Amino acid sequence: MNNRKNKFGKMEWAGAFGDLGTLIPYIVGYVTIAGIDALGILFTFGIFLIVSGFIYKTPFPVQPMKAIGAVVITSGVAITNGMIWFSGLFTGAFWLILGLSGVLKNIVKIVNKPVMKGIILSLGISFIMQGTGKIQSNLVVGFVGLLIAIILFSSKKIPLMFILLLYGVIAAMILNPALLQELVGIRPHFRLPMFNLALGQISRQDILRGILILALPQIPLTLGNSVMAVTAENNRLFPDRPITEKKVSLTQGAMNIISPLFGGVPICHGAGGMAAQIRFGAKTGGAPIIIGVILLILGLFFSESILSILSFMPESVLGIILLFAGLELAISTRDVGRERKDFFIYIITAGFSLWNVGVGFLVGLFMQEVMKRNWLKP
């Protein structure tokens, strides 16, 4: 029963910051490109991280939906706030219905280990690639930080994340002394999130485009990563605190129904976020609760200054965090199976998932059936 209690020691604090490498770029993108008020984003993330920690009692992550976020931040398509918020409502209803109807249980039954492990491997490699890309933004800062991480990688006494964060702060002040003056000038300004009245003004075009451009492409990625993979990882690492795909689907659905009501963005769980927190020391729900409280405070008191605060961490240091989170995720797939056909399905799934997780999931299922019928003998 002791394992079912949340803890808040130094390793939980260190692990709490493990998912910043993915969280920060999306928050900055939504605020600067989409023009969404940071208050709604930080408030909803904070609340849901706290709730997640108490419900699951493991380092269960809450992250931005990556396919939706990527379209909003990087595409040349004009994306309105109405499209973003309705895509959240649509996906929320979708996962609630899928979880309550029992359909999800049937889907899970047909997916074998090589397909699931292949998706997880692709996510790990994707994190590693993103991490190395960010490290290149400042090679000197990146390689010094990487050396620090390698030296302290296996230390059980010194929380690596704290050292990396401290190093990042020092590097930021050296690279841009003006940042320090900007931070010193920040003053708290309390604001409470209000009900999002703009939801009543969403046009039919926003509804249609929100579903077709944002929500539907996200569904296969969410199924593979944010429902099945994160459930498998949780149950592998914490067999004393098992969960079901249905429970994850329901909490994910509820989050996305509530988030737009307060101006938040589409949210999911994710195996990568769990691996990131665990890599840096987290073992209980204390880690998401800690980062949730921090985000909640930032939202309520510093939402108008959040860009200055987030810009304090060099991108190359965030890259190191992503790199080691990806390594943790990729290494966890080594028990894929003993037969040659298992590795064949595993590699094929991972390869296609690097392009698109949804496509990789479908290709993996197809190859799984091909192997069962002996149409191909690797």
Side-chain angles (χ1 to χ4, degrees), residues 146-312:
L146 195 57
L147 182 61
I148 293 172
I150 291 171
I151 293 171
L152 299 177
F153 184 73
S154 301
S155 175
K156 299 297 182 182
K157 296 182 178 180
I158 303 175
L160 173 58
M161 178 57 72
F162 285 158
I163 303 301
L164 283 177
L165 291 175
L166 177 60
Y167 168 70
V169 169
I170 294 172
M173 288 190 293
I174 293 173
L175 292 172
N176 188 359
L179 273 178
L180 183 58
Q181 292 182 336
E182 190 173 343
L183 287 176
V184 170
I186 290 175
R187 296 290 181 270
H189 179 207
F190 180 74
R191 287 197 301 153
L192 276 174
M194 305 296 290
F195 183 80
N196 188 6
L197 297 176
L199 291 177
Q201 302 171 4
I202 295 178
S203 67
R204 291 183 180 180
Q205 185 179 19
D206 283 342
I207 292 173
L208 182 62
R209 288 163 64 86
I211 293 173
L212 296 179
I213 297 176
L214 299 179
L216 290 182
Q218 175 69 49
I219 287 173
L221 171 60
T222 302
L223 176 62
N225 174 35
S226 306
V227 177
M228 298 179 68
V230 75
T231 301
E233 280 298 282
N234 183 93
N235 294 345
R236 181 183 71 85
L237 294 166
F238 306 105
D240 59 315
R241 287 159 280 176
I243 60 173
T244 63
E245 287 85 358
K246 177 181 179 180
K247 184 175 182 178
V248 177
S249 180
L250 293 179
T251 58
Q252 194 160 247
M255 287 192 305
N256 282 291
I257 292 293
I258 297 170
S259 180
L261 302 181
F262 296 95
V265 298
I267 292 173
C268 65
H269 300 299
M274 174 172 280
Q277 293 179 82
I278 292 170
R279 173 62 266 167
F280 293 101
K283 292 291 188 292
T284 75
I289 292 172
I290 289 167
I291 195 65
V293 170
I294 291 172
L295 292 178
L296 191 59
I297 292 172
L298 286 175
L300 294 176
F301 292 94
F302 298 98
S303 60
E304 295 179 351
S305 308
I306 192 61
L307 293 181
S308 297
I309 296 171
L310 295 181
S311 66
F312 207 69

Side-chain angles (χ1 to χ4, degrees), residues 24-25 30 35 45 78 92 105 119 121 126 130 150 206 210 222 228 233 243-244 261 264 283 293 316 332 362 372:
I24 289 178
Y30 273 117
F45 267 110
K105 186 176 181 180
I119 291 172
L121 175 63
S126 176
Q130 291 179 51
I150 291 171
D206 283 342
T222 302
M228 298 179 68
E233 280 298 282
I243 60 173
T244 63
L261 302 181
K283 292 291 188 292
V293 170
S316 53
S332 73
L362 296 176
K372 280 183 181 178

Side-chain angles (χ1 to χ4, degrees), residues 102-133:
V103 174
L104 180 61
K105 186 176 181 180
N106 295 326
I107 295 174
V108 171
K109 285 181 179 179
I110 67 174
V111 183
N112 66 12
K113 183 186 283 189
V115 174
M116 186 52 54
K117 294 289 185 178
I119 291 172
I120 296 173
L121 175 63
S122 76
L123 294 169
I125 294 173
S126 176
F127 270 38
I128 292 169
M129 293 170 64
Q130 291 179 51
T132 54

